[in-house]
Short mmCIF file of all heavy atoms in Angstrom, two decimals:
data_model
loop_
_atom_site.label_atom_id
_atom_site.label_comp_id
_atom_site.label_asym_id
_atom_site.label_seq_id
_atom_site.Cartn_x
_atom_site.Cartn_y
_atom_site.Cartn_z
N THR A 1 -4.34 -18.72 -11.30
CA THR A 1 -4.21 -17.27 -11.27
C THR A 1 -2.88 -16.86 -10.65
O THR A 1 -2.49 -17.38 -9.59
CB THR A 1 -5.37 -16.63 -10.48
OG1 THR A 1 -6.61 -16.99 -11.11
CG2 THR A 1 -5.25 -15.11 -10.45
N GLU A 2 -2.20 -15.94 -11.33
CA GLU A 2 -0.93 -15.39 -10.84
C GLU A 2 -1.11 -13.90 -10.56
O GLU A 2 -1.91 -13.22 -11.22
CB GLU A 2 0.19 -15.59 -11.87
CG GLU A 2 0.22 -16.96 -12.53
CD GLU A 2 0.48 -18.11 -11.58
OE1 GLU A 2 0.95 -17.86 -10.46
OE2 GLU A 2 0.19 -19.25 -11.96
N TYR A 3 -0.36 -13.39 -9.59
CA TYR A 3 -0.47 -12.00 -9.16
C TYR A 3 0.92 -11.36 -9.16
O TYR A 3 1.87 -11.93 -8.60
CB TYR A 3 -1.04 -11.92 -7.74
CG TYR A 3 -2.37 -12.63 -7.57
CD1 TYR A 3 -2.42 -13.98 -7.23
CD2 TYR A 3 -3.57 -11.95 -7.72
CE1 TYR A 3 -3.63 -14.63 -7.06
CE2 TYR A 3 -4.79 -12.59 -7.56
CZ TYR A 3 -4.81 -13.94 -7.22
OH TYR A 3 -6.01 -14.58 -7.06
N VAL A 4 1.04 -10.19 -9.77
CA VAL A 4 2.32 -9.48 -9.82
C VAL A 4 2.10 -8.02 -9.47
O VAL A 4 1.23 -7.35 -10.07
CB VAL A 4 2.99 -9.60 -11.21
CG1 VAL A 4 4.25 -8.73 -11.28
CG2 VAL A 4 3.35 -11.05 -11.50
N GLY A 5 2.87 -7.52 -8.51
CA GLY A 5 2.86 -6.11 -8.17
C GLY A 5 4.07 -5.41 -8.76
O GLY A 5 5.16 -6.00 -8.85
N VAL A 6 3.89 -4.17 -9.22
CA VAL A 6 5.00 -3.36 -9.71
C VAL A 6 4.95 -2.01 -9.01
O VAL A 6 3.89 -1.44 -8.80
CB VAL A 6 4.96 -3.17 -11.24
CG1 VAL A 6 5.06 -4.50 -11.96
CG2 VAL A 6 3.73 -2.41 -11.69
N ASN A 7 6.12 -1.52 -8.64
CA ASN A 7 6.24 -0.18 -8.06
C ASN A 7 6.87 0.75 -9.08
O ASN A 7 7.99 0.50 -9.54
CB ASN A 7 7.08 -0.21 -6.78
CG ASN A 7 6.34 -0.79 -5.61
OD1 ASN A 7 6.16 -2.00 -5.52
ND2 ASN A 7 5.90 0.07 -4.69
N PHE A 8 6.13 1.80 -9.43
CA PHE A 8 6.67 2.89 -10.23
C PHE A 8 7.32 3.91 -9.28
O PHE A 8 6.86 4.08 -8.15
CB PHE A 8 5.55 3.58 -11.01
CG PHE A 8 4.86 2.74 -12.04
CD1 PHE A 8 3.71 2.03 -11.72
CD2 PHE A 8 5.34 2.66 -13.34
CE1 PHE A 8 3.05 1.26 -12.67
CE2 PHE A 8 4.69 1.90 -14.30
CZ PHE A 8 3.55 1.19 -13.96
N SER A 9 8.34 4.62 -9.77
CA SER A 9 8.91 5.71 -8.99
C SER A 9 9.29 6.84 -9.93
O SER A 9 9.31 6.67 -11.16
CB SER A 9 10.14 5.25 -8.19
OG SER A 9 11.26 5.06 -9.03
N ASP A 10 9.60 8.00 -9.35
CA ASP A 10 10.03 9.13 -10.18
C ASP A 10 11.54 9.29 -10.18
O ASP A 10 12.07 10.33 -10.58
CB ASP A 10 9.36 10.43 -9.72
CG ASP A 10 9.61 10.75 -8.25
OD1 ASP A 10 10.24 9.93 -7.56
OD2 ASP A 10 9.15 11.82 -7.80
N GLY A 11 12.25 8.26 -9.78
CA GLY A 11 13.71 8.27 -9.78
C GLY A 11 14.24 7.37 -8.68
O GLY A 11 13.47 6.68 -8.00
N PRO A 12 15.56 7.37 -8.51
CA PRO A 12 16.14 6.55 -7.43
C PRO A 12 15.62 6.99 -6.07
O PRO A 12 15.42 8.17 -5.81
CB PRO A 12 17.65 6.82 -7.56
CG PRO A 12 17.83 7.29 -8.97
CD PRO A 12 16.59 8.04 -9.32
N ILE A 13 15.38 6.01 -5.20
CA ILE A 13 14.90 6.27 -3.84
C ILE A 13 15.90 5.68 -2.86
O ILE A 13 16.16 4.48 -2.88
CB ILE A 13 13.51 5.66 -3.61
CG1 ILE A 13 12.48 6.32 -4.54
CG2 ILE A 13 13.08 5.81 -2.16
CD1 ILE A 13 11.09 5.75 -4.41
N THR A 14 16.47 6.53 -2.05
CA THR A 14 17.44 6.08 -1.07
C THR A 14 16.79 5.96 0.30
O THR A 14 15.82 6.66 0.60
CB THR A 14 18.63 7.05 -0.98
OG1 THR A 14 18.13 8.36 -0.68
CG2 THR A 14 19.38 7.10 -2.30
N PRO A 15 17.29 5.06 1.13
CA PRO A 15 16.72 4.93 2.48
C PRO A 15 16.86 6.21 3.28
O PRO A 15 17.75 7.03 3.03
CB PRO A 15 17.56 3.79 3.09
CG PRO A 15 18.15 3.06 1.93
CD PRO A 15 18.37 4.09 0.87
N VAL A 16 15.98 6.38 4.27
CA VAL A 16 16.09 7.49 5.21
C VAL A 16 16.44 6.91 6.57
O VAL A 16 16.05 5.78 6.91
CB VAL A 16 14.79 8.31 5.29
CG1 VAL A 16 14.49 8.98 3.97
CG2 VAL A 16 13.61 7.44 5.72
N PRO A 17 17.21 7.64 7.36
CA PRO A 17 17.62 7.11 8.68
C PRO A 17 16.40 6.87 9.57
O PRO A 17 15.50 7.70 9.66
CB PRO A 17 18.51 8.23 9.24
CG PRO A 17 18.94 9.01 8.05
CD PRO A 17 17.82 8.95 7.08
N TRP A 18 16.41 5.73 10.25
CA TRP A 18 15.34 5.38 11.18
C TRP A 18 15.67 5.98 12.55
O TRP A 18 15.75 5.30 13.56
CB TRP A 18 15.22 3.86 11.20
CG TRP A 18 14.16 3.25 12.09
CD1 TRP A 18 14.36 2.33 13.07
CD2 TRP A 18 12.74 3.49 12.07
NE1 TRP A 18 13.17 1.99 13.67
CE2 TRP A 18 12.15 2.69 13.07
CE3 TRP A 18 11.92 4.31 11.30
CZ2 TRP A 18 10.79 2.67 13.32
CZ3 TRP A 18 10.55 4.30 11.54
CH2 TRP A 18 10.01 3.48 12.55
N VAL A 19 15.85 7.29 12.56
CA VAL A 19 16.23 8.01 13.78
C VAL A 19 14.98 8.66 14.37
O VAL A 19 14.30 9.45 13.69
CB VAL A 19 17.30 9.08 13.49
CG1 VAL A 19 17.62 9.86 14.76
CG2 VAL A 19 18.55 8.44 12.93
N GLY A 20 14.68 8.33 15.61
CA GLY A 20 13.49 8.88 16.25
C GLY A 20 12.21 8.24 15.79
O GLY A 20 11.11 8.71 16.12
N GLY A 21 12.31 7.16 15.01
CA GLY A 21 11.12 6.51 14.49
C GLY A 21 10.47 5.57 15.49
O GLY A 21 11.08 5.13 16.46
N PHE A 22 9.21 5.27 15.24
CA PHE A 22 8.48 4.31 16.07
C PHE A 22 7.41 3.66 15.21
O PHE A 22 7.09 4.13 14.10
CB PHE A 22 7.86 4.99 17.29
CG PHE A 22 6.78 5.99 16.96
CD1 PHE A 22 5.43 5.62 16.95
CD2 PHE A 22 7.10 7.30 16.61
CE1 PHE A 22 4.44 6.54 16.63
CE2 PHE A 22 6.11 8.22 16.29
CZ PHE A 22 4.77 7.83 16.30
N THR A 23 6.84 2.57 15.68
CA THR A 23 5.82 1.84 14.94
C THR A 23 4.53 1.82 15.75
O THR A 23 4.54 1.50 16.94
CB THR A 23 6.27 0.40 14.66
OG1 THR A 23 7.49 0.43 13.89
CG2 THR A 23 5.21 -0.38 13.88
N VAL A 24 3.42 2.16 15.09
CA VAL A 24 2.12 2.14 15.74
C VAL A 24 1.26 1.05 15.09
O VAL A 24 1.26 0.88 13.87
CB VAL A 24 1.42 3.52 15.64
CG1 VAL A 24 1.18 3.93 14.19
CG2 VAL A 24 0.11 3.52 16.41
N HIS A 25 0.54 0.30 15.92
CA HIS A 25 -0.35 -0.76 15.45
C HIS A 25 -1.76 -0.21 15.30
O HIS A 25 -2.25 0.54 16.16
CB HIS A 25 -0.35 -1.93 16.44
CG HIS A 25 -1.32 -3.02 16.09
ND1 HIS A 25 -2.48 -3.25 16.79
CD2 HIS A 25 -1.28 -3.94 15.09
CE1 HIS A 25 -3.13 -4.27 16.24
NE2 HIS A 25 -2.43 -4.70 15.22
N CYS A 26 -2.40 -0.56 14.18
CA CYS A 26 -3.77 -0.13 13.89
C CYS A 26 -4.59 -1.34 13.45
O CYS A 26 -4.04 -2.38 13.10
CB CYS A 26 -3.79 0.92 12.77
SG CYS A 26 -2.72 2.35 13.05
N THR A 27 -5.89 -1.19 13.49
CA THR A 27 -6.78 -2.28 13.08
C THR A 27 -7.91 -1.76 12.21
O THR A 27 -8.17 -0.55 12.15
CB THR A 27 -7.39 -3.00 14.30
OG1 THR A 27 -8.09 -2.03 15.11
CG2 THR A 27 -6.33 -3.69 15.14
N ALA A 28 -8.58 -2.70 11.54
CA ALA A 28 -9.82 -2.42 10.82
C ALA A 28 -10.64 -3.70 10.80
O ALA A 28 -10.10 -4.80 10.96
CB ALA A 28 -9.54 -1.94 9.41
N SER A 29 -11.94 -3.57 10.62
CA SER A 29 -12.84 -4.71 10.52
C SER A 29 -13.66 -4.58 9.25
O SER A 29 -14.89 -4.69 9.26
CB SER A 29 -13.75 -4.81 11.75
OG SER A 29 -12.99 -5.00 12.92
N LYS A 30 -12.97 -4.35 8.16
CA LYS A 30 -13.60 -4.16 6.86
C LYS A 30 -13.74 -5.51 6.16
O LYS A 30 -12.80 -6.32 6.16
CB LYS A 30 -12.74 -3.23 6.01
CG LYS A 30 -13.29 -2.92 4.64
CD LYS A 30 -14.33 -1.85 4.68
CE LYS A 30 -14.70 -1.38 3.27
NZ LYS A 30 -15.66 -0.27 3.30
N THR A 31 -14.89 -5.79 5.57
CA THR A 31 -15.03 -6.98 4.74
C THR A 31 -14.44 -6.68 3.37
O THR A 31 -14.95 -5.82 2.63
CB THR A 31 -16.51 -7.38 4.60
OG1 THR A 31 -17.03 -7.69 5.90
CG2 THR A 31 -16.64 -8.61 3.72
N LEU A 32 -13.34 -7.35 3.06
CA LEU A 32 -12.63 -7.09 1.82
C LEU A 32 -13.36 -7.73 0.63
O LEU A 32 -13.99 -8.78 0.77
CB LEU A 32 -11.20 -7.63 1.91
CG LEU A 32 -10.36 -7.14 3.09
CD1 LEU A 32 -8.97 -7.74 3.03
CD2 LEU A 32 -10.29 -5.61 3.12
N THR A 33 -13.24 -7.09 -0.51
CA THR A 33 -13.77 -7.66 -1.75
C THR A 33 -12.73 -8.59 -2.35
O THR A 33 -11.59 -8.16 -2.61
CB THR A 33 -14.12 -6.55 -2.75
OG1 THR A 33 -15.09 -5.68 -2.17
CG2 THR A 33 -14.66 -7.13 -4.04
N ALA A 34 -13.06 -9.85 -2.53
CA ALA A 34 -12.10 -10.83 -3.05
C ALA A 34 -11.66 -10.44 -4.46
O ALA A 34 -12.48 -10.11 -5.32
CB ALA A 34 -12.73 -12.22 -3.07
N GLY A 35 -10.34 -10.44 -4.68
CA GLY A 35 -9.80 -10.18 -6.00
C GLY A 35 -9.85 -8.74 -6.44
O GLY A 35 -9.82 -8.46 -7.64
N ALA A 36 -9.90 -7.79 -5.49
CA ALA A 36 -9.95 -6.37 -5.83
C ALA A 36 -9.36 -5.57 -4.68
O ALA A 36 -9.21 -6.06 -3.56
CB ALA A 36 -11.38 -5.93 -6.11
N TRP A 37 -9.04 -4.31 -4.96
CA TRP A 37 -8.60 -3.40 -3.90
C TRP A 37 -9.80 -3.00 -3.05
O TRP A 37 -10.86 -2.67 -3.57
CB TRP A 37 -7.97 -2.14 -4.48
CG TRP A 37 -6.65 -2.31 -5.16
CD1 TRP A 37 -6.39 -2.20 -6.50
CD2 TRP A 37 -5.38 -2.58 -4.54
NE1 TRP A 37 -5.06 -2.40 -6.75
CE2 TRP A 37 -4.41 -2.62 -5.57
CE3 TRP A 37 -4.98 -2.79 -3.23
CZ2 TRP A 37 -3.06 -2.87 -5.32
CZ3 TRP A 37 -3.64 -3.04 -2.97
CH2 TRP A 37 -2.69 -3.07 -3.99
N THR A 38 -9.62 -2.99 -1.72
CA THR A 38 -10.63 -2.49 -0.79
C THR A 38 -9.96 -1.46 0.11
O THR A 38 -8.90 -1.72 0.69
CB THR A 38 -11.21 -3.62 0.08
OG1 THR A 38 -11.77 -4.62 -0.76
CG2 THR A 38 -12.29 -3.08 1.01
N THR A 39 -10.56 -0.29 0.23
CA THR A 39 -10.00 0.78 1.06
C THR A 39 -10.50 0.64 2.49
O THR A 39 -11.70 0.54 2.73
CB THR A 39 -10.37 2.15 0.49
OG1 THR A 39 -9.87 2.25 -0.85
CG2 THR A 39 -9.75 3.27 1.32
N CYS A 40 -9.56 0.66 3.45
CA CYS A 40 -9.88 0.46 4.86
C CYS A 40 -9.59 1.73 5.66
O CYS A 40 -8.54 2.35 5.49
CB CYS A 40 -9.05 -0.68 5.44
SG CYS A 40 -9.32 -2.29 4.66
N GLN A 41 -10.53 2.09 6.54
CA GLN A 41 -10.29 3.12 7.55
C GLN A 41 -9.58 2.46 8.73
O GLN A 41 -10.05 1.44 9.23
CB GLN A 41 -11.62 3.72 8.01
CG GLN A 41 -12.45 4.33 6.91
CD GLN A 41 -12.05 5.76 6.60
OE1 GLN A 41 -11.20 6.34 7.27
NE2 GLN A 41 -12.67 6.34 5.58
N ILE A 42 -8.48 3.02 9.17
CA ILE A 42 -7.70 2.40 10.22
C ILE A 42 -7.90 3.11 11.56
O ILE A 42 -8.15 4.31 11.61
CB ILE A 42 -6.19 2.35 9.87
CG1 ILE A 42 -5.61 3.76 9.74
CG2 ILE A 42 -6.00 1.57 8.57
CD1 ILE A 42 -4.10 3.77 9.52
#
């Protein structure tokens, strides 16, 4: 089995400045469905 992701866009996307940004860590304890998308509450 092979897996390929594709990103569609509505045009060119340029980076935004990482000014004032920060990173927050979140968790979930959801049992994922193998081989499918599973939506998680974080």
Side-chain angles (χ1 to χ4, degrees):
T1 301
E2 317 297 343
Y3 305 88
V4 174
V6 299
N7 285 75
F8 296 92
S9 74
D10 57 356
I13 296 178
T14 56
V16 296
W18 180 236
V19 177
F22 65 95
T23 301
V24 61
H25 176 252
C26 306
T27 57
S29 298
K30 181 81 170 184
T31 299
L32 305 181
T33 301
W37 291 110
T38 303
T39 301
C40 299
Q41 302 275 355
I42 64 175

